[in-house]
Amino acid sequence: MAENDDAGHGPVSRGGVAAQPLFAVAAVLLGSFLANFDSRLTTVGLPDLRGAFGLSFDEGAWLSTAGIGSQIFIAPAVAWLATVFGLRRVLGIPSLVYAIVSLIVPFVRDYPTLIALSVVHGLLLGTFVPATLMIVFRNLPIRWWLPAIALYSIRVGFALDSSTSLVGFYVDHLGWQWLYWQSVVIAPLMGLMVYLGTPSEPVNRALLREADWGGMLLLGAGVGMIYAGLDQGNRLDWLGSGTVMALLAGGGVLFVAFLINESLVPQPWAHVNVLFSRNIGLSLVAILLYTLTSLSNSSLVPNFLGNVVLLRPEQSGLLLLTYGALPMFVLVPVSIRLLRYFDARAVTVVGFACFAAANLWGTQLTHDWAREDFVGIVLLQAVGQSTTLLPLIIIALSNSDPSRATSFAAYIQIMRLGGAEIGVALMGTWLRVREQVHSFYLGQNLEVGDANVVRALKQLADHFAAHGAGSAQARAVGTLASFVRREANVLAYIDGFWLCFWLAMAALGFIALITRAPPGPFTPAPFGFAKMLLRKCGVRVT
């Protein structure tokens, strides 16, 4: 089943079949939701957290970086840790510690302590999604893999679409503390599902003795530092900041050292040859492009509604929940059904085509757009979320040896978490730079003394004169400047949609380069769809 032997390097990952698969699937769902909701906590909920903790803008930015950067540090190594120590140990006790930390954080007011707890919070959270993915590989019968991986793959879109509304609900009705306290209930419940759904496993002491600790530390630290540099770059002016340059350069050096380490050590933890297996390498690139093009759903739509339309998270989240998250309950079974009868590459093409269409639609944006104008875009993105990541993971699995899942899972986590968070940081910079460019060009058309400018200012001044003639002219100038800022923002978001559109088109190009997978449990039978139709018509086929 492996495309080549080199792709299979790494420790063998085998586990007992779960006696109660439904509990294991529930653990996958709960862990994935927690991880993605808490990632949104430091974006959508960050303004409320800054106010609650009394943090400056800069302190709040480092709070976000500390929480997500620590997730990126630990996530690639979790598959190996689960192989060595067993899933119960990797998820059981950490889920309880995570609940305790989540309970304590809202009471902290000392900034260094808050940062330290955020790092611990992120480290524990970073184990949840990779470890729950290993539940699928190690403890579920293969017939359960497709629906379980489907839950894993759509949890990003579902959590992103539902968490915006949930964050707004907590802040407006229950209190901002529930941004943390929901984990006090859900994390132990996830640990219980893991205990019930996975068998007890002894520590693999032979593998522990051969541990590639250096490789794990180098990769985690390198990718984490690169993320921190990119996340802070937009705030600290990139090349003008010694902190940003040190983080990026240091992270790059550590990543190169990791590649060298994996080529030299006798027992590599995540052999780099997996990246040079044609179909696996291309599918990982496509996963990265998926995380970037889906920024139109996770970043552009809610940010436009918040920054330009001036909606609260609960208001914009209703759109994403109703037309983004809820349709996935129908779309995921459809996606699973499609994969049973059609090549995964064809299903992926449908997904990226939906993203491309949604982003092309978004380029028609104007300042008059309200929440309801995004319904069609969000629906198309929901189809894209449901029919893209799942078949991409199936393509990668179909061309690899699932028993050697640690290398595969490590790179999946880099593309999934690192790609998504780095993409958010870069999209923020893209929008800021494009807004500045458009402000400059729009400002050039507002020359002092220009007849159109004078007429517009007079109309505004006349409007404000009824509320106080003395300040009418100043208010007119301020209002005209706000119009310029608004239009510059709208044009910047249009550029963001164009960027995501071309990323989707690039992804379609990479999908075209992927060859057919060898026959296996994830590849549909030849003429499977035609045979199904014949059976529906009462024709017997073999």
Side-chain angles (χ1 to χ4, degrees):
M1 189 166 162
E3 186 176 303
N4 59 50
D5 292 337
D6 289 331
H9 286 193
V12 174
S13 176
R14 300 189 188 280
V17 174
Q20 300 289 337
L22 284 177
F23 288 122
V25 173
V28 173
L29 188 59
L30 289 173
S32 300
F33 171 79
L34 267 183
N36 285 280
F37 176 86
D38 275 30
S39 295
R40 296 292 280 174
L41 181 151
T42 54
T43 53
V44 177
L46 187 58
D48 296 292
L49 293 180
R50 284 203 306 266
F53 288 120
L55 304 178
S56 67
F57 183 84
D58 291 346
E59 289 173 333
W62 281 111
L63 180 69
S64 173
T65 300
I68 297 177
S70 53
Q71 289 183 54
I72 295 175
F73 171 79
I74 193 67
V78 172
W80 185 89
L81 295 173
T83 302
V84 174
F85 296 103
L87 284 159
R88 286 189 178 183
R89 293 182 184 89
V90 170
L91 280 176
I93 295 177
S95 67
L96 297 178
V97 177
Y98 180 79
I100 294 172
V101 173
S102 299
L103 179 65
I104 294 172
V105 168
F107 297 105
V108 174
R109 290 299 178 269
D110 178 62
Y111 184 65
T113 304
L114 182 62
I115 287 290
L117 287 177
S118 295
V119 170
V120 174
H121 197 259
L123 286 171
L124 295 167
L125 183 65
T127 65
F128 291 168
V129 171
T132 51
L133 181 61
M134 290 302 291
I135 291 176
V136 178
F137 292 147
R138 291 168 56 83
N139 303 124
L140 289 182
I142 286 185
R143 69 177 182 276
W144 284 78
W145 280 25
L146 197 56
I149 295 173
L151 289 176
Y152 167 83
S153 64
I154 64 100
R155 95 272 176 226
V156 176
F158 185 86
L160 290 177
D161 289 338
S162 60
S163 60
T164 302
S165 181
L166 196 55
V167 165
F169 176 79
Y170 284 155
V171 171
D172 292 341
H173 299 286
L174 298 182
W176 65 269
Q177 294 89 344
W178 282 94
L179 297 176
Y180 290 97
W181 286 350
Q182 72 158 10
S183 301
V184 178
V185 178
I186 298 178
L189 183 61
M190 181 200 67
L192 177 63
M193 294 297 104
V194 171
Y195 181 81
L196 296 175
T198 62
S200 178
E201 302 173 71
V203 176
N204 189 334
R205 300 189 183 280
L207 190 55
L208 185 60
R209 285 192 296 271
E210 300 172 349
D212 179 19
W213 297 113
M216 284 182 269
L217 288 171
L218 286 170
L219 179 60
V223 178
M225 288 178 68
I226 290 172
Y227 163 74
L230 292 173
D231 191 41
Q232 292 294 322
N234 189 38
R235 184 178 66 87
L236 298 177
D237 194 28
W238 294 102
L239 300 181
S241 168
T243 300
V244 172
M245 291 305 298
L247 287 169
L248 293 178
V253 169
L254 291 178
F255 186 75
V256 171
F258 159 74
L259 296 177
I260 296 172
N261 177 83
E262 295 304 283
S263 301
L264 297 178
V265 295
Q267 297 293 330
W269 152 66
H271 202 288
V272 294
N273 278 3
V274 71
L275 301 177
F276 304 119
S277 173
R278 177 191 173 97
N279 282 359
I280 295 178
L282 289 172
S283 63
L284 289 174
V285 172
I287 289 173
L288 176 61
L289 290 171
Y290 157 78
T291 65
L292 296 176
T293 194
S294 62
L295 287 173
S296 58
N297 180 47
S298 62
S299 181
L300 293 181
V301 172
N303 285 350
F304 177 87
L305 291 174
N307 296 334
V308 178
V309 186
L310 302 179
L311 297 183
R312 289 279 300 153
E314 186 178 8
Q315 296 171 307
S316 60
L318 183 63
L319 165 76
L320 300 173
L321 176 65
T322 305
Y323 298 101
L326 295 182
M328 290 185 187
F329 287 109
V330 176
L331 292 169
V332 170
V334 171
S335 179
I336 294 172
R337 192 74 173 170
L338 289 173
L339 286 169
R340 296 195 187 280
Y341 295 108
F342 296 99
D343 192 304
R345 295 172 298 172
V347 181
T348 308
V349 167
V350 173
F352 277 120
C354 287
F355 274 123
N359 289 314
L360 194 60
W361 193 341
T363 62
Q364 307 305 306
L365 193 66
T366 71
H367 68 264
D368 292 321
W369 277 37
R371 183 175 62 184
E372 289 69 25
D373 294 302
F374 288 94
V375 168
I377 292 176
V378 174
L379 280 172
L380 278 172
Q381 289 168 336
V383 177
Q385 294 277 6
S386 304
T387 55
T388 304
L389 185 57
L390 172 59
L392 283 174
I393 294 176
I394 295 303
I395 289 171
L397 284 174
S398 300
N399 290 277
S400 64
D401 181 357
S403 71
R404 295 187 180 272
T406 52
S407 295
F408 172 73
Y411 292 110
I412 281 283
Q413 298 316 315
I414 293 173
M415 297 301 178
R416 176 195 70 85
L417 185 58
E421 300 303 337
I422 289 170
V424 169
L426 292 177
M427 180 59 78
T429 298
W430 172 262
L431 292 176
R432 176 178 63 83
V433 171
R434 295 307 299 169
E435 190 273 336
Q436 291 172 344
V437 169
H438 290 303
S439 290
F440 173 76
Y441 284 117
L442 288 173
Q444 282 189 324
N445 295 320
L446 297 178
E447 298 178 357
V448 176
D450 182 84
N452 292 325
V453 174
V454 171
R455 183 167 55 254
L457 287 174
K458 184 178 185 307
Q459 290 175 346
L460 290 170
D462 291 343
H463 173 75
F464 291 125
H467 306 284
S471 61
Q473 190 64 32
R475 294 180 66 183
V477 173
T479 301
L480 186 60
S482 71
F483 289 163
V484 172
R485 286 194 300 270
R486 182 193 65 190
E487 295 307 313
N489 270 309
V490 171
L491 291 170
Y493 280 103
I494 290 173
D495 290 344
F497 279 111
W498 273 118
L499 178 61
C500 290
F501 168 78
W502 288 113
L503 288 169
M505 298 303 291
L508 289 171
F510 278 101
I511 296 299
L513 299 175
I514 297 176
T515 58
R516 181 181 295 275
F522 298 117
T523 52
F527 309 108
F529 184 68
K531 290 179 180 178
M532 185 270 290
L533 288 178
L534 290 173
R535 291 193 188 100
K536 293 287 186 183
C537 296
V539 179
R540 294 184 60 186
V541 292
T542 59

